[in-house]
Amino acid sequence: MKPHTTWLIANWKMNGTAAEVRDYAQAVEQALVAAPHTLACVYCPPTPYLSQAASALPTTARLKLGGQTCHAASKGAFTGEVSAAMLKDVGCTAVIVGHSERRAAGETDAAVLGNARAAVDAGLMPIICVGESLAEYEAGNTAAVLASQLRSLAELANGSYIIAYEPVWAIGSGKTPTCGEIEAAHATIKTVLGSQTSVLYGGSVNAGNVREILDSSGVSGVLIGSASLSISGMQNIIIAACG
Ligand code: PGA
């Protein structure tokens, strides 16, 4: 059986400078050199800095690059947007789509599907974010919310995308679900999309909790926001993930 990949996705959101992106890419690449090849690390800096990150890395780098969103269309009159082909052109292999911060700004399930489809068509791996709000969690509706967010994704080819389960209330809050809750959500996602689907967890992941989360059943990796912003933070997460 093929050893399964563990994904570490570093989402910088709207943070950093060109110089910080270059230094970070080089330092994280160094940290990955000794890591097992089953560890796949994707760095998602702000779009304007993707080229800088790409030029700071050797073409054979272990550290891969990802966008933070892409548009459903391949080109056209969409001011401020970025196409999946453009991300591919500057060296990306993946792109986050449907992050809750974008859903909060109006992105619907249908739009998320369109963006994911565009990513697949351009040869990128979409990392599709889903997750319930605090009110939905407290009402015990997590499984129903996930099923409804995932329904339309079944049309995408198996293996062409990754799901990131990110409870909205866990993002940037320092709170995480219990491992049992993470396992239950991952099981729900695999029931809807198939047991082979790679499912990551995201929301207040750090060097202290990443090992326990990665050891949870059905978890194929993590999406990290704030704890990925510093070089030392990411180095410690890589060390913990390898341990
Ligand atoms: P956080 O962000 O790690 O800061 O909670 C995660 C995310 O938004 O994907």
Side-chain angles (χ1 to χ4, degrees), residues 6-10 24-43 57 60-65 234-235 237-239 241-242:
T6 299
W7 296 87
L8 300 181
I9 316 294
Y24 183 89
Q26 286 172 344
V28 175
E29 172 62 13
Q30 277 309 307
L32 286 170
V33 166
H37 278 265
T38 47
L39 196 73
C41 192
V42 182
Y43 175 32
L57 293 168
T60 55
R62 293 281 311 275
L63 182 62
K64 303 301 179 195
L65 296 176
M234 198 57 199
Q235 285 168 336
I237 287 168
I238 291 168
I239 290 166
C242 291

Side-chain angles (χ1 to χ4, degrees), residues 9 11 13 96 99-101 129 166 170-175 202-206 223-228:
I9 316 294
N11 176 15
K13 309 188 181 184
I96 298 168
H99 191 281
S100 69
E101 287 150 16
C129 301
E166 299 210 295
I171 294 174
S173 65
K175 296 190 192 118
S204 296
V205 175
N206 57 47
L223 201 161
I224 315 131
S226 27
S228 77

Side-chain angles (χ1 to χ4, degrees), residues 125-234:
M125 175 71 87
I127 302 156
I128 307 170
C129 301
V130 294
E132 81 285 1
S133 68
L134 183 60
E136 291 162 341
Y137 170 74
E138 286 175 344
N141 287 338
T142 299
V145 169
L146 291 177
S148 119
Q149 290 175 332
L150 296 168
R151 197 165 298 127
S152 62
L153 301 178
E155 73 156 62
L156 299 171
N158 282 340
S160 68
Y161 62 93
I162 292 172
I163 300 293
Y165 168 56
E166 299 210 295
V168 179
W169 53 272
I171 294 174
S173 65
K175 296 190 192 118
T176 54
T178 64
C179 287
E181 288 170 325
I182 292 174
E183 289 178 354
H186 282 235
T188 298
I189 293 166
K190 286 169 187 274
T191 301
V192 177
L193 296 176
S195 59
Q196 297 308 310
T197 310
S198 293
V199 187
L200 320 183
Y201 168 78
S204 296
V205 175
N206 57 47
N209 62 18
V210 68
R211 185 68 260 163
E212 189 184 22
I213 292 169
L214 289 175
D215 286 341
S216 301
S217 164
V219 176
S220 293
V222 288
L223 201 161
I224 315 131
S226 27
S228 77
L229 284 172
S230 72
I231 290 173
S232 62
M234 198 57 199

Side-chain angles (χ1 to χ4, degrees), residues 67-74 78 81-85 87 94-99 102-103 106-129 152-153 155-156 160-162:
Q68 297 181 8
T69 187
C70 66
H71 196 272
S74 57
F78 303 103
E81 296 290 349
V82 58
S83 76
L87 295 174
V95 58
I96 298 168
V97 301
H99 191 281
R102 297 194 58 83
R103 290 179 185 262
E107 220 165 79
T108 61
D109 289 335
V112 173
L113 172 64
N115 298 352
R117 208 190 277 126
V120 173
D121 290 348
L124 297 179
M125 175 71 87
I127 302 156
I128 307 170
C129 301
S152 62
L153 301 178
E155 73 156 62
L156 299 171
S160 68
Y161 62 93
I162 292 172

